[in-house]
Amino acid sequence: MTDKTIREVTFQLLRDLDITTVFGNPGSTEETFLKEFPSDFRYIQTLHEASAVGAADGYAQIMRRPALINVHTSAGVSNAMSNILTAAQNKTPLILTAGNQTREMLLMEPWLTNVEPALLPRPWVKWAYEPVRAEDVPAAFMRAYAIAIQPPAGPVFLSIPLDDWDKPALGPAVARSLASRIGPDPVRIAEFADVLSNARKPALVFGSSIARSGGWHQAIALAEKLQADVWAAPATERPSFPETHPLYVGSLPFAKGPLSAKLEGYDVAIVIGAPVFRYYPYVPGDYLPRGLRLLHVTDDPSESGRAPVGDSLLSDAVYAIEALTHLVAPRSRASSTPVKQEHPIDSNSSASPAKPDEKVTVQRLFHTLRAATPANTILVEESPSNLGALQAAWPVDQEDSFFTFASGSLGWNLPAAVGIALAERDLGRNRPVLAVIGDGSFQYSIQGLWTAAQHKLPILYVVPRNGEYAILKSFAEMEKTPGVPGLDIPGLDIVSLAKGYGCAASRAETLDEVRQVCAEAFDRSGPTVLEVPIVATIPPLL
């Protein structure tokens, strides 16, 4: 027994684990945890639980360590679920905590009780638990940390009754160190290397796990030794290879038939650090073209288990790449050069000047943004209908400089930009952060602007305003469903909304006005929101 409380012992454990920033939106069942909040800890307040999770996710990705979130019992967890889903798909290590009613009252299920705390956040957490005894709370935090960081990394959840924190602890918490990466089986990786070495025309398909492990340089080394075409995995949330590299040929489409067609002509393809494959619209076709052998490297057993085709190997993506680079035979480039895959959106027209009274096209907007922002700008994207134009105008050529959501669930990117900018400040790098968010997407976690303003984070939010859910109109065309209601969103005043949360905000009708805002935004102490009315178009889905 010790004279310290559960709270004191838990906070000391968090110090030992280098977790001293708490993201949250407090509630009545959490105030006992936050009581006498330690001066060496920092509380990042948000106005909605989804924003707390999104900001913590962005922060954890940049810092490459777990982040802690504290939300309000069952109501707060329910509010946070969309971004818990995204954190799970992003494979971001997060420790999500919520209070619960006092243990004495749990049996009668009073108001705001989390009735089944271990069930509520599933299936989007790796582990969910409410300690059986107050004395188990510190050890539960240690277990939560261990599970969150081990592959595949992801969010975990602890429910803690509000009367646990002031009870006496049994003793100091035991902090443990853990490995967070796994290496490849030597026999299996040698087999994969042999297949690649003997391939007539191999292809490399790189996914986000390479970026999460900081493996850009290793990925380049493998591609150059094999002189193989490099594809980005479908709908990847973090690029793992420079899109300006001569061997980069584009991103695979996220539908079965079109993806198979893109891989025609290869005899071997290896997918590293991504699922096989991430699909969304159903387009009939074979999983793979005839004659193609698929190899798959992932640190996630569920990914290898559900893959419909291919031979799998469990390993950290970068460890596997390093081993393959050592083992494969060097190749010379075939006489033909790689053919870059053009997105259906024609980006060449974007360079032509606009007429004075002409509304801005999204292509011209994105080319202007790229030219008007520093080379080391971090780009955060949540504008699904404009993604093709953005990729055409803004090829990613620096590591850890592009982030988006792996889940497709809107509302992550606005608060994630807050966490990213906060982490850049903590690391002393202070790279500029520009978030491109559609006018529809902007509404899902708009409260995150307040946190950016309170912490004076110099984020530039650019909102291409088309007044519609253009991506849903693309789906309506593909699915042959005319007359769907609710696809237009008129009457939004983005500028007024942003000012209400404490941001500098303006509307730009011309590209010169866009350039002027870019010149001012990153020197400003606080966030800037720029609304740009654009020509409304229905983009191709694939």
Side-chain angles (χ1 to χ4, degrees), residues 5 86 98 127 158 171 194 233 311 322 341 357 391 480 525:
T5 64
T86 295
W127 183 58
L158 289 176
D194 187 58
D311 303 317
E322 290 171 340
Q341 302 297 312
D357 58 347
Q391 289 174 326
K480 297 180 174 58
S525 177

Side-chain angles (χ1 to χ4, degrees), residues 237-253:
E237 66 275 12
R238 289 184 63 175
S240 293
F241 194 83
E243 295 172 359
T244 53
H245 193 283
L247 293 173
Y248 180 76
V249 292
S251 179
L252 289 173

Side-chain angles (χ1 to χ4, degrees), residues 466-495:
N466 57 13
E468 62 185 9
Y469 294 126
I471 191 68
L472 295 182
K473 292 187 176 183
S474 298
F475 273 100
E477 286 195 350
M478 180 181 184
E479 295 169 350
K480 297 180 174 58
T481 53
V484 175
L487 302 189
D488 293 308
I489 46 173
L492 291 172
D493 186 345
I494 302 295
V495 173

Side-chain angles (χ1 to χ4, degrees), residues 95-158:
I95 302 173
L96 182 75
T97 64
N100 206 349
Q101 288 288 358
T102 58
R103 290 183 182 271
E104 187 175 310
M105 296 171 64
L106 284 177
L107 182 62
M108 54 190 268
E109 297 181 11
W111 202 38
L112 291 174
T113 297
N114 195 341
V115 177
E116 296 193 50
L119 181 63
L120 179 61
R122 294 186 184 276
W124 301 118
V125 294
K126 292 180 65 181
W127 183 58
Y129 186 65
E130 183 173 272
V132 176
R133 306 178 303 163
E135 292 83 357
D136 294 331
V137 168
F141 267 87
M142 185 63 240
R143 181 174 174 182
Y145 175 88
I147 293 173
I149 67 170
Q150 292 185 100
V156 296
F157 174 71
L158 289 176

Side-chain angles (χ1 to χ4, degrees), residues 343-414:
H343 193 276
I345 294 174
D346 179 13
S347 62
N348 295 327
S349 64
S350 62
S352 59
K355 297 176 182 177
D357 58 347
E358 188 178 6
K359 187 179 282 189
V360 172
T361 66
V362 74
Q363 293 95 333
R364 290 193 181 99
L365 170 62
F366 291 157
H367 277 275
T368 300
L369 289 173
R370 175 67 287 193
T373 52
N376 66 338
T377 297
I378 298 174
L379 178 62
V380 184
E381 177 275 328
E382 191 175 294
S383 185
S385 62
N386 298 315
L387 179 57
L390 185 60
Q391 289 174 326
W394 195 307
V396 179
D397 58 5
Q398 296 183 37
E399 191 170 13
D400 292 344
S401 65
F402 178 90
F403 295 84
T404 191
F405 53 133
S407 66
S409 178
L410 301 178
W412 179 83
N413 294 58
L414 190 153

